[in-house]
Amino acid sequence: MTETSIAVVDSRSLVALFGACDQHVRKIRKALEVEIGTRDGKIHIEGPADAVARATTVFHELQDHMRRHGGLGDEDVERVLREVAQGRPASSCAAIRVGNEREIRPRTAGQVRFVDAMRRAELVMCAGPAGTGKTYLAVAMAVAALRQQEIRKIVLVRPAVEAGESLGFLPGDLQAKINPYLRPILDALREMMEYDLMKRYQEEDIIEISPLAYMRGRTLNQAFMILDEAQNTTVAQMKMFLTRMGEGSRIVVSGDTTQVDLPSGTRSGLIDALARLHGLQGVAAVELTAADIVRHPLVQRIVDAYDGRPKKRG
């Protein structure tokens, strides 16, 4: 038998970790067959060595989730237990440091592969369904690279409309026109950076937000370039974007190949690039699946339903 203890910041955090009427800790006890209690402001875990190690990982992951999201639900406990049981906890990959006291960790095996690919390759292509963290992790890596002065500029790009590049019908200037299409990227950015700092970086052109059509004819040096919703680019648009890479730059291309909104008969630039650039030196491709979805558990069940997989009751 092995025993270990985990320090908890305060009693409120301890209550949140254990859940109402200890519902969270009962799930952990049952799933991992360990004894769990509290003493002197610490969580004490006792049981077989491997089970104690898994339980310790579970509590660390739950504490990390609480720091990032401010709360903990039943579905979060179930997800972390499932990931640890499958041997794919987020702690198996170094955290992405986006601020002095702000770290982002990949939470599934697929996300670990994605982060590892972004650390070693100059061009990374990631395909996966909604909710797998493609955009979020790419933005986190860009912010971390800027913070560490590995790059001088972040460029966020997205096809401006579902099946083309027409912006003229929208009111306002260019920024006002493209903001609705770039909202997911902006939301991720605002989670990792203070609003005033983000606005200053935009004003100083350190962070650039651009529709894909406006990338033509440019060469970007020492930039971290992210192309989101890349499944809705044409082959020509994808070639144009990828060839914008200059000295010291990195590119992340992400999209969901099951949600192509291009006109019938038009080949997706992302699907084409995944096949065309496979095995090229400096290029990495990562495929995320429904198992990597980290949004509300219902999102995974919805994806399964649309993909024709058996429904999970519960």
Side-chain angles (χ1 to χ4, degrees), residues 254-269:
S254 66
D256 182 353
T257 55
T258 68
Q259 294 188 4
V260 178
D261 298 304
L262 294 168
S264 178
T266 303
R267 183 165 173 78
S268 165

Side-chain angles (χ1 to χ4, degrees), residues 155-167 174 177-179 181-182 185 208-220 225-245 251-254 262 266-270:
V155 183
L156 309 172
V157 183
R158 208 178 190 215
V161 293
E162 295 304 318
E165 288 288 305
S166 177
L167 292 166
L174 175 62
K177 289 174 186 287
I178 66 175
N179 272 353
Y181 299 102
L182 293 160
I185 298 177
E208 178 185 343
I209 301 169
S210 176
L212 181 57
Y214 286 76
M215 296 297 292
R216 189 174 300 279
R218 304 178 62 189
T219 299
L220 295 167
M225 305 156 62
I226 299 173
L227 175 58
D228 195 32
E229 296 293 331
Q231 77 276 5
N232 287 330
T233 64
T234 65
V235 174
Q237 287 173 329
M238 180 62 77
K239 179 184 176 183
M240 179 272 290
F241 176 77
L242 295 180
T243 53
R244 301 309 94 199
M245 177 185 277
I251 291 180
V252 176
V253 174
S254 66
L262 294 168
T266 303
R267 183 165 173 78
S268 165
L270 177 58

Side-chain angles (χ1 to χ4, degrees), residues 175-207:
Q175 194 68 41
K177 289 174 186 287
I178 66 175
N179 272 353
Y181 299 102
L182 293 160
R183 181 58 55 188
I185 298 177
L186 290 170
D187 288 345
L189 198 56
R190 283 170 184 162
E191 275 197 42
M192 303 169 200
M193 192 176 290
E194 292 181 2
Y195 180 78
D196 290 343
L197 179 61
M198 189 184 79
K199 293 299 291 182
R200 180 164 64 84
Y201 279 172
Q202 285 183 262
E203 291 168 0
E204 295 175 358
D205 208 31
I206 295 172
I207 295 177

Side-chain angles (χ1 to χ4, degrees), residues 12-23:
R12 184 177 297 178
S13 298
L14 188 62
V15 170
L17 277 170
F18 273 50
C21 301
D22 290 349
Q23 61 183 4

